[in-house]
């Protein structure tokens, strides 16, 4: 049917626009590509960011933590900006670059193609799994219930999960729950 792009709250968009005008924010490592811009920087493709923790993750337990905007420099996506939700609205958190950026763009293209063959309205969201260091594009289907939702894991994906394959959420969540938790590598350890 259609992919229904979410409308971010005005405070989230203001936070990103303020960061794009801030020399301090643009000094962040994730903003390196934004310092050498070819044209005006524009926030695009806002996605609500949800976090899912726990040994038995269920989509109903995902909590929204903020918004991520892809930042376009002309026609190219150069970075992403994340804002977090607070008591008084939204505040800029950080800029990011790296593999998840291109992977998000690719997953959004896949979502548009999937929406063309779907009979339901779908809402794209980002879903992060901190324990597995994983992120997926969550295609939420509000009219059909959580059983119809799909997840497109972004690259790099955890072991046993294929990036850019659309999974029914009910099939992928148990796989992620069984995956060993990612542990940070400590310097000097082997």
């Amino acid at each position: 049917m259609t992919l229904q792009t979410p409308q971010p709250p005005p405070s989230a968009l203001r936070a990103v626009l303020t960061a794009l005008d801030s020399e301090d924010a643009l000094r962040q490592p994730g903003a390196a590509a934004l310092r050498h811009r070819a044209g005006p920087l524009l926030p695009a493709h806002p996605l609500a960011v949800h976090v899912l923790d726990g040994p038995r993750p269920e989509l109903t337990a995902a909590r929204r933590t903020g918004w991520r905007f892809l930042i376009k420099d002309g026609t190219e996506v150069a970075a992403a900006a994340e804002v977090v939700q607070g008591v008084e609205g939204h505040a800029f958190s950080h800029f990011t670059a790296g593999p998840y950026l291109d992977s998000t763009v690719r997953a959004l293209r896949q979502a548009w193609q999937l929406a063309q063959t779907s009979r339901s309205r779908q809402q794209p969201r980002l879903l992060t799994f901190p324990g597995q260091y994983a992120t997926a594009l969550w295609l939420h289907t509000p009219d059909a219930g959580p059983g119809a939702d799909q997840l497109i894991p972004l690259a790099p994906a955890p072991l046993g999960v294929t990036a850019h394959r659309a999974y029914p959420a009910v099939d992928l969540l148990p796989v992620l729950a069984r995956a060993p938790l990612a542990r940070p590598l400590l310097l000097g350890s082997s």
Side-chain angles (χ1 to χ4, degrees):
M1 186 175 206
T2 183
L3 193 65
Q4 182 183 23
T5 305
Q7 185 66 25
S11 64
L13 183 57
R14 272 194 307 274
V16 170
L17 292 172
T18 300
L20 289 172
D21 285 335
S22 166
E23 292 297 322
D24 288 339
L26 291 173
R27 285 190 195 108
Q28 291 184 355
L34 302 178
R35 292 190 290 267
H36 308 290
R37 56 182 156 218
L41 300 175
L42 299 172
H45 308 294
L47 296 167
V49 177
H50 292 76
V51 174
L52 191 55
D53 294 306
R56 294 183 45 92
E58 296 178 6
L59 288 178
T60 55
R63 57 187 164 78
R64 185 175 355 178
T65 58
W67 289 80
R68 186 172 299 161
F69 295 78
L70 298 182
I71 306 301
K72 294 183 92 174
D73 181 5
T75 60
E76 297 297 315
V77 173
E82 191 151 331
V83 296
V84 292
Q85 192 169 323
V87 176
E88 297 180 17
H90 291 84
F92 173 73
S93 174
H94 60 277
F95 287 111
T96 60
Y100 279 140
L101 187 63
D102 292 334
S103 190
T104 302
V105 172
R106 179 177 170 189
L108 282 169
R109 284 189 193 120
Q110 286 179 269
W112 282 107
Q113 291 172 347
L114 288 170
Q116 301 305 313
T117 61
S118 174
R119 297 184 190 273
S120 304
R121 177 173 55 103
Q122 297 176 324
Q123 300 170 340
R125 303 171 171 180
L126 278 181
L127 184 63
T128 63
F129 305 88
Q132 281 77 18
Y133 291 111
T135 300
L137 185 66
W138 173 11
L139 300 178
H140 176 58
T141 310
D143 303 330
D149 289 0
Q150 294 183 53
L151 298 173
I152 301 174
L154 302 183
L159 289 176
V161 175
T162 303
H164 296 288
R165 175 182 164 206
Y167 291 87
V170 295
D171 293 344
L172 182 60
L173 291 174
V175 172
L176 289 172
R178 288 190 306 269
L181 293 179
R183 293 186 203 145
L185 178 65
L186 300 175
L187 294 177
S189 66
S190 44

